[in-house]
Amino acid sequence: TNTRLIEFVYKAERPRIVEPHDYGIRGGVEKLLAYQISGASRSGAPHGWKHFDVVEMIQLRVLDRRFPGSRADSSQHHGEWDTLFARVK
């Protein structure tokens, strides 16, 4: 599988590492739905499902570490997208 973790800085905080799951446009804004596995978080929850505004993501790196794919989690929060560019299966 080619599902690789990514690391980035969001809203000028410390780096985060996430499993990217959905990438698209929602409400006219380019967003990433990801499962965060480590790093900073304003909510105080370093793990869990989060939506990120792509314009706020800087210093993005694709890591060599891989993840198994979709978590098949009922709380996955895929929701409705105006346009969906990519989704992890």
Side-chain angles (χ1 to χ4, degrees):
T1 180
N2 198 25
T3 49
R4 292 167 57 182
L5 298 174
I6 60 173
E7 179 181 46
F8 56 89
V9 173
Y10 189 66
K11 295 187 176 179
E13 293 182 2
R14 294 186 323 277
R16 302 166 184 244
I17 296 177
V18 305
E19 299 172 354
H21 284 266
D22 284 3
Y23 167 56
I25 305 287
R26 177 179 279 166
V29 178
E30 189 178 4
K31 292 189 175 278
L32 175 71
L33 169 67
Y35 190 86
Q36 184 169 320
I37 61 170
S38 70
S41 176
R42 282 200 177 151
S43 70
H47 300 95
W49 291 106
K50 299 176 189 285
H51 286 95
F52 299 99
D53 292 349
V54 172
V55 72
E56 299 280 356
M57 298 165 62
I58 60 171
Q59 300 174 16
L60 188 134
R61 297 187 315 127
V62 177
L63 303 178
D64 290 334
R65 286 175 50 201
R66 298 181 187 281
F67 64 101
S70 177
R71 288 178 164 261
D73 180 343
S74 63
S75 68
Q76 203 155 310
H77 308 297
H78 282 298
E80 294 297 317
W81 293 87
D82 302 339
T83 304
L84 182 65
F85 299 128
R87 172 170 284 164
V88 167
K89 301 285 185 216

